[in-house]
Every structure is written in structure tokens, then in C-alpha cells.
Amino acid sequence: MAKTKQIELKEEKKDINTETLKEELKEYIDLEIKKEYQEEINKINNKLIKEKNKKIIFRNIIILLLIAIIGFLLYLLYDNNYFSKILVKDNDIKEIKKEEDNTKKEDDIKIDDKEKDEIKKPSLTELKDKYGHLIDKYYISDTSKYLDDYYKGNLTSELKSYLTLNNINFNDLEIDDNSNIISEAEFKEIYESLFIDKYEGLNFDYNGNKIRFLSKISSYITEKELQKEKSNIVREIISIEENENKILITCVEGKIIDNKLYNIISGEEITDYSGKITDYKDKLNNVTYVFANNKLTSFSK
């Protein structure tokens, strides 16, 4: 009996040691995983800091060189009495302008309403040459998650982030483990060149690729390597209006696949398509883009 009890005690002790070993092994594995994750984060952070420091140093050098060049040029102008000559010329010009103003007051020509109406308004072609480029930076894939928001005029924060990413050159992005890293500074700069509202970092979708914003390292990280996706959406400008400080550009837009024209949202095929989408504007999607200071403020269907 004593031997049996001793064997049972040994087996219990063995079981206890096994459980303890399992717990210690589990804790060790957890610590190693956390350590490896933190090391990867630190590596990414260090890369970003190095790149940022390089850009800052280069920028400062350029600024100093420009200041030195400007200072040298100003010295040369001063040494040649250029500024004193300018002041003398300005006084002469002011006297001439006074005489001209007095003459104009005596013989002022008034333009009546008929003459104002006869002033030529710019054609659509001229307005396209002047403002058409504004909409080139705003486009969306026909497979995008935000397609409905886009053509309903819902300019959401996620949609604006999507449109911002479309303006980044994917070939210049850093690649780490089949993912791209985008610095928040670069993303914010492009965002603020496209939209007038305040930038905010957030997660969003890019044609099925999940884009995560990591505030701790001030970067965006993609789920997989980014690829430019060809959009089947085409557009034609049908009107441009200059309204005080705003520019309104109205486009007719449709989707063309295998030379067949479709409504972007309903997917309905335009059966009599002849190659010119403006002939079917009543059956397609019409969007008016509103710009202020060359930035998109809103759009509506």
C-alpha cells in the first residue's frame, strides 16, 4: 500500500510539473510574439523618422541657398542705385496718371446696357481650356465600395480619403512584407490640395484593399500591395459656370465595357449607343462639381 501511495504521489507531482511547464511555455510564446510585433513597429517608425529627417535637412539647405542668392542680388541692385532710380520713375508715373485721370473725367465714355449685352461671353470650349483640368484629379473605379455615395453626392470622409489615394504615385511607395506604407504627411498634403475642409486620418477601403491608419507611427498601411485599377467610367463636360468665387462643372458620365454603354448606378444598357455619351445624358448619370479656390467643395447628381 505504501508503495502504491508513493507512485500516486509521483504521478500527481508529474502532472503538476507538466501543467506548470505548459503555462510557462505559453507565457514565453506570448512574450516573444509581442516582442517581435513591437520590433516590427519600431523598424517601420525608424524608417519613417529617417526619411522625414532627410527631407527636412534638404529643405533647409535649399531655403538657406535661396536666402543667400536673394541677399546677394539685393546687394547688387543696391550697389548700382537701382532702388533710387525706381523711386524717381514711380514719382514720374504718378504725375502722368494724375494728368490722365483728369483728362478721363472730362471725356468719360459710358457703356449702356445694350453694349454690355453685346460683350462676348466665353464659349464652352474656352471654359474647358480654362477650367476643365479641375475635375481630372477626381475619379472613381466602377467597382469601388463608395460608388453609390459618389453618384448620390455624398462626399463622405472615407470617399475623400479614397479620392486622395488615387492621386498618389504607387510606384514611389515603400513596400514592406507585400504591403505599402504611406506617410501621413504626404497623404495630408495631397488631401489639402484637393479639398477645403480639415483633414482627418481614418481607415478606408480602396477597391477591396483595406487601408489602416496608424496614428502612433503617423502612417497608412495597406492590407496588400496597391495596384492602379482601370476604371470603365467615362465623362464629358456639358457645361461650365462662373458663379462669383465658385466654378460649377457639369458632366455626363457613363460606364463603357466592350463598346457598350451603361448607366453607372442602375447598370442599364443604352442599346442605341453610337459613340457619343452626350447624346444620352437623360439616361446617364449627370454630376455637377463645385470648386472654390481650385478645390472641390461638393458635387451633386
Side-chain angles (χ1 to χ4, degrees), residues 42-170:
N42 290 338
K43 285 180 182 178
I44 294 171
N45 200 13
N46 289 335
K47 286 181 181 178
L48 292 173
I49 290 171
K50 287 180 180 178
E51 289 299 319
K52 192 178 290 185
N53 288 339
K54 286 180 183 178
K55 290 179 179 179
I56 291 172
I57 292 170
F58 180 75
R59 183 194 64 190
N60 290 341
I61 291 171
I62 294 298
I63 290 171
L64 289 173
L65 286 172
L66 290 173
I67 291 172
I69 292 169
I70 291 169
F72 178 71
L73 292 174
L74 288 173
Y75 170 76
L76 290 177
L77 292 172
Y78 177 78
D79 192 50
N80 286 283
N81 296 321
Y82 178 79
F83 296 110
S84 60
K85 294 176 183 177
I86 290 294
L87 290 173
V88 172
K89 287 182 180 179
D90 284 344
N91 289 332
D92 292 340
I93 290 169
K94 287 178 182 178
E95 290 299 324
I96 293 170
K97 282 186 176 180
K98 283 182 181 179
E99 293 178 4
E100 289 178 350
D101 290 340
N102 292 331
T103 304
K104 285 182 180 179
K105 285 178 182 178
E106 295 174 359
D107 191 21
D108 190 17
I109 301 172
K110 295 181 180 180
I111 302 174
D112 59 22
D113 292 336
K114 288 184 179 180
E115 289 174 330
K116 287 181 181 179
D117 291 337
E118 290 174 358
I119 295 174
K120 184 182 177 183
K121 292 182 179 179
S123 66
L124 179 58
T125 301
E126 291 171 333
L127 290 171
K128 281 182 180 180
D129 291 339
K130 189 174 182 180
Y131 300 114
H133 67 279
L134 292 176
I135 62 169
D136 292 342
K137 295 179 181 179
Y138 307 88
Y139 58 93
I140 189 169
S141 169
D142 53 306
T143 63
S144 173
K145 174 182 176 181
Y146 309 115
L147 197 65
D148 283 342
D149 282 335
Y150 190 97
Y151 286 100
K152 286 179 181 177
N154 297 328
L155 193 56
T156 64
S157 297
E158 289 186 1
L159 176 54
K160 283 184 280 192
S161 294
Y162 174 97
L163 296 173
T164 299
L165 188 55
N166 265 339
N167 285 271
I168 292 177
N169 187 347
F170 295 171

Side-chain angles (χ1 to χ4, degrees), residues 3-54:
K3 286 184 178 180
T4 303
K5 288 182 177 180
Q6 287 179 0
I7 292 169
E8 290 176 352
L9 288 171
K10 286 181 180 179
E11 288 178 351
E12 289 179 3
K13 188 174 181 182
K14 184 177 179 181
D15 290 339
I16 292 168
N17 290 338
T18 302
E19 289 299 321
T20 302
L21 182 61
K22 286 180 179 178
E23 289 297 325
E24 290 177 351
L25 183 59
K26 183 180 178 182
E27 290 178 3
Y28 174 77
I29 292 171
D30 288 342
L31 287 172
E32 286 298 313
I33 291 172
K34 289 178 180 179
K35 182 180 177 183
E36 186 175 344
Y37 177 79
Q38 188 61 45
E39 286 178 354
E40 289 299 318
I41 291 294
N42 290 338
K43 285 180 182 178
I44 294 171
N45 200 13
N46 289 335
K47 286 181 181 178
L48 292 173
I49 290 171
K50 287 180 180 178
E51 289 299 319
K52 192 178 290 185
N53 288 339
K54 286 180 183 178

Side-chain angles (χ1 to χ4, degrees), residues 14 63 92 101 130 178 191 212 219 223 277 299:
K14 184 177 179 181
I63 290 171
D92 292 340
D101 290 340
K130 189 174 182 180
N178 295 324
Y191 181 99
R212 291 183 298 130
S219 298
E223 186 180 43
I277 67 171
F299 52 58

